[in-house]
Structure formats: structure tokens, C-alpha cells
Amino acid sequence: YDRGWYVGAQGGVSFGVNTFSSFANDKTRYGWNGGIFVGYMFNDILSLEASAGLGKFTLAERDCCNERGYFLGSDWNRYKYVLSGMTGHYYKDLASEVFTQRYGLKLNLNVLGLFNRTKDSRWRINLSPAVYAVGTSADIKTLADDEVVREDIDNWHLGVGGSAEVSYAITKHLNLGIYGGVTFLTGPKVMDGMPELHHDNHIIDGGLRLAWNFGATRPVKKVEPSVVFQTVVDR
């Protein structure tokens, strides 16, 4: 199909990068994401899509913070040197579990649709700028015993970014694709709940998409056979 409505579902792995990061000092922590989408294909090249999704990932101390030995005080400020009598936790002993919800719109550009040789291919390569409303809720816990230090640190963000997807039409209606993308969260509000240190504030996703198309194919032009009439003139 090259025009019409479609619906689908997607899911895969997620990573977060903020003051803490999924690519932490001790190891890489894999999160998950999943969601549904509905869209409309205008032609071989363009489609518009709305989506809603959920996700969760765990972030921990980055290499640079580990080198500096940062301490999170009970007043929720960051310290390099622990004040006498102050209670709190070292960054290396903490992790942030972040739950996300995302609602967005994106415009898909099928690169193969730009060329006559590939516009009718079963394959599609979509490049997709996107905008999202992103809700985050963080729980700060200790790594050793999973003790909750602070929970339900909620924020809403405007997210902008994009993704790339390669898909294949398995049948007339069914498409399977693999995707990867990044969403940058704007504004000063951090998603991991820690005192702001790094300006990084983004989510990286990758996974599989399954779509069901309802649209109609392009009408095929019927060529009527021409009839040649011959007039015979008697001599």
C-alpha cells in the first residue's frame, strides 16, 4: 500500500542520559519501551503518525562523577566534600529508576519513494522528525539494598528528535520494521531527579514495529483495446 490508514505496535530497548546515565560507570543498564501508533500514508513518500508509549530504564553514576566522588546530601544538594555530621549518600551508591510516558506526532519520509526504481518496492526506509510530550517519574534508590531514598519525582517535558526505520511488506497488509531514534528533552527539568549537573537530557530507543495497513492501492489504468475500422470501397 502506498496510501491510506494504518495502525500498529512497537517495542524494544531504551536508554536514558542525564546527570545519571544508562551507560554508567559500572555497567550498561538496558531499559524497555512499548507503544501503539496510528498513521495515514499520503503517497509513496510521506505519512503522518500519532503515537502513545510507555517505558522504563535505570540510570546510575557516570565515569566523571565517579572520579570526583560526589555526595548527595540530605538537603538534596551535591557536595564534593562531605560536611561534618551531614547525612546522605555517595553518587556511586545510588541509581535512578525512571518511568516514562510519551505522546507524539512524527512525519515519515520514505527515501526509497523518491526514486522511480524503488518507489513500488516492498522495502521502505523512513526518516522521521518528531515532537513529543514526555512525562517522567523518577525513584532514587540505593544499589546495595534497593532502599528508596526519594520517590515520585515527576516532571513534564517537551521532547524533539527523530528516528530512522527500515521496514518490509511481508504481505499486502502487514509490515515489519526495525527502528532506532533519539528524543531530546527541552527545558531545565531533569528526568532522573538528581541535582542538575550535566546538560544531557535525552532518551535513546531501538526495537521492532509491526503495522497493519488499511489503505487502497493506486488505481491501475485500464487500457482499452483499440478497434481499427477499415472501409472497403468497391471499384
Side-chain angles (χ1 to χ4, degrees):
Y1 285 128
D2 58 18
R3 64 183 175 88
W5 291 97
Y6 63 92
V7 297
Q10 66 182 47
V13 296
S14 284
F15 306 94
V17 181
N18 200 199
T19 292
F20 277 2
S21 172
S22 294
F23 310 103
N25 175 65
D26 56 347
K27 64 178 180 179
T28 297
R29 293 173 168 82
Y30 293 84
W32 59 267
N33 73 83
I36 56 175
F37 55 86
V38 58
Y40 187 83
M41 298 172 62
F42 298 101
N43 48 44
D44 295 314
I45 302 171
L46 295 176
S47 62
L48 184 65
E49 183 177 306
S51 63
L54 302 175
K56 187 178 181 181
F57 42 77
T58 301
L59 298 83
E61 182 187 49
R62 297 163 69 164
D63 291 339
C64 55
C65 296
N66 181 263
E67 294 172 359
R68 292 174 174 84
Y70 286 135
F71 183 84
L72 180 65
S74 55
D75 59 355
W76 215 251
N77 287 315
R78 179 181 65 255
Y79 294 92
K80 188 172 182 180
Y81 302 102
V82 183
L83 301 179
S84 177
M86 173 169 284
T87 59
H89 299 82
Y90 284 99
Y91 274 32
K92 65 182 179 63
D93 298 324
L94 297 175
S96 176
E97 290 186 354
V98 182
F99 176 83
T100 65
Q101 50 181 318
R102 271 183 280 181
Y103 309 94
L105 284 173
K106 70 177 181 177
L107 183 67
N108 300 314
L109 170 65
N110 175 29
V111 177
L112 297 184
L114 297 172
F115 308 100
N116 288 330
R117 293 184 60 183
T118 55
K119 69 178 183 179
D120 294 322
S121 170
R122 286 175 176 262
W123 291 96
R124 296 177 72 90
I125 300 176
N126 284 326
L127 301 179
S128 310
V131 60
Y132 298 95
V134 183
T136 59
S137 181
D139 295 338
I140 309 297
K141 299 182 177 181
T142 59
L143 287 172
D145 53 13
D146 216 29
E147 176 190 353
V148 176
V149 176
R150 188 174 177 182
E151 60 184 345
D152 298 332
I153 308 171
D154 301 332
N155 284 306
W156 279 94
H157 319 257
L158 173 65
V160 293
S163 63
E165 178 195 3
V166 178
S167 67
Y168 180 78
I170 300 173
T171 69
K172 182 178 179 180
H173 297 279
L174 191 64
N175 285 267
L176 178 65
I178 182 170
Y179 71 94
V182 60
T183 302
F184 297 94
L185 306 185
T186 63
K189 295 181 178 179
V190 296
M191 66 174 167
D192 62 9
M194 296 295 291
E196 186 175 2
L197 175 60
H198 299 286
H199 296 298
D200 302 315
N201 199 17
H202 59 271
I203 301 169
I204 302 169
D205 297 305
L208 298 176
R209 285 166 48 98
L210 196 63
W212 184 266
N213 299 313
F214 296 99
T217 57
R218 290 177 299 180
V220 177
K221 293 182 179 179
K222 295 182 179 180
V223 179
E224 298 292 340
S226 59
V227 179
V228 178
F229 294 94
Q230 182 178 16
T231 303
V232 178
V233 180
D234 294 331
R235 292 182 182 271

